[in-house]
């Protein structure tokens, strides 16, 4: 996309609004990681999802073509099982690696982190001057919220990975 900024660059102004350098680096690193992972799994999910739609349709077309051109192209009969095999493997990869679930998990984490940073930088809701005694208390609340988002992210990622391993063990 011509001239389009990456998602992280679009939201970097929020991270730049943090005054504590260690906290800024922690948020920046985590946010960049979540956005990158969400996009990676979105692309994989989209590609394999499209393949799982197109391949069966192509197998149907190949079956019709094989019957119509059976004398001219006898090897066309092999196309249907090969395409079906690829479609089956694609469906298995989608089910096993759970790209959609991973994408959604990382997307939720990125959005939670962006929201939390925005509230803190703007001193809104739980970070407002009416609800916090001073900047240090707001910073402590923010740090706890960020660490909770990160901890929840690790836990949810482990849950998805554990489900993958469980599926693989049951098949083995």
């Amino acid at each position: 996309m011509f001239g389009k900024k990456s998602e992280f660059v679009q939201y970097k102004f929020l991270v730049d609004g943090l005054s504590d350098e260690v906290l800024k680096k922690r948020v920046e690193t985590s946010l960049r990681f979540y956005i990158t992972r969400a996009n990676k799994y979105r692309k994989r999910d989209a590609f394999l999802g499209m393949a799982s739609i197109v391949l069966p349709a192509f197998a149907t077309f190949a079956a019709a073509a094989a019957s119509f051109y059976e004398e001219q192209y006898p090897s066309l009969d092999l196309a249907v099982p090969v395409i079906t095999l690829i479609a089956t493997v694609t469906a298995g990869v989608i089910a096993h690696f759970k790209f959609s679930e991973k994408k959604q998990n990382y997307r939720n984490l990125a959005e939670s982190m962006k929201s939390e940073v925005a509230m803190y930088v703007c001193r809104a809701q739980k970070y407002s001057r009416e609800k916090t005694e001073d900047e240090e208390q707001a910073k402590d609340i923010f740090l706890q919220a960020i660490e909770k988002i990160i901890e929840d992210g690790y836990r949810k990622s482990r849950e998805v990975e554990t489900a993958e391993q469980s599926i693989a063990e049951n098949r083995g």
Side-chain angles (χ1 to χ4, degrees):
M1 302 250 169
F2 184 78
K4 184 179 178 191
K5 293 181 183 178
S6 73
E7 181 181 358
F8 181 78
V9 170
Q10 290 175 346
Y11 289 93
K12 188 159 176 21
F13 75 94
L14 288 174
V15 176
D16 290 342
L18 300 172
S19 57
D20 184 292
E21 286 301 314
V22 173
L23 188 56
K24 180 189 277 189
K25 200 64 170 167
R26 176 74 165 151
V27 169
E28 182 177 338
T29 304
S30 298
L31 187 56
R32 186 182 305 269
F33 177 79
Y34 296 146
I35 290 170
T36 302
R37 285 293 172 107
N39 288 334
K40 170 183 159 181
Y41 290 124
R42 178 186 54 80
K43 289 174 185 173
R44 289 179 181 179
D45 186 48
F47 175 77
L48 291 172
M50 185 59 68
S52 71
I53 293 168
V54 171
L55 286 170
F58 192 62
T60 303
F61 175 75
S67 67
F68 190 72
Y69 295 109
E70 66 185 317
E71 291 180 18
Q72 292 172 309
Y73 304 103
S75 61
L76 198 54
D77 285 340
L78 291 175
V80 175
V82 169
I83 294 169
T84 304
L85 172 71
I86 295 169
T88 303
V89 169
T90 300
V93 167
I94 289 170
H96 178 73
F97 289 106
K98 301 181 181 291
F99 295 127
S100 183
E101 289 91 337
K102 289 178 181 180
K103 170 195 70 170
Q104 194 59 49
N105 180 44
Y106 285 116
R107 171 58 38 213
N108 290 344
L109 291 167
E111 294 303 323
S112 294
M113 189 163 284
K114 288 189 295 191
S115 175
E116 203 66 42
V117 173
M119 284 190 301
Y120 176 71
V121 169
C122 296
R123 295 294 300 254
Q125 296 179 11
K126 62 186 173 187
Y127 304 110
S128 69
R129 287 174 179 37
E130 295 84 36
K131 293 191 178 180
T132 57
E133 295 173 15
D134 57 14
E135 183 64 35
E136 274 307 304
Q137 184 185 21
K139 182 179 160 186
D140 288 343
I141 294 169
F142 176 67
L143 181 59
Q144 290 173 13
I146 290 298
E147 290 303 320
K148 181 168 180 2
I149 291 169
I150 293 169
E151 182 181 311
D152 287 348
Y154 287 138
R155 183 181 48 75
K156 288 176 186 172
S157 293
R158 279 193 305 270
E159 287 173 5
V160 172
E161 296 297 325
T162 303
E164 279 179 25
Q165 291 171 355
S166 176
I167 290 169
E169 289 170 0
N170 288 339
R171 289 184 182 160

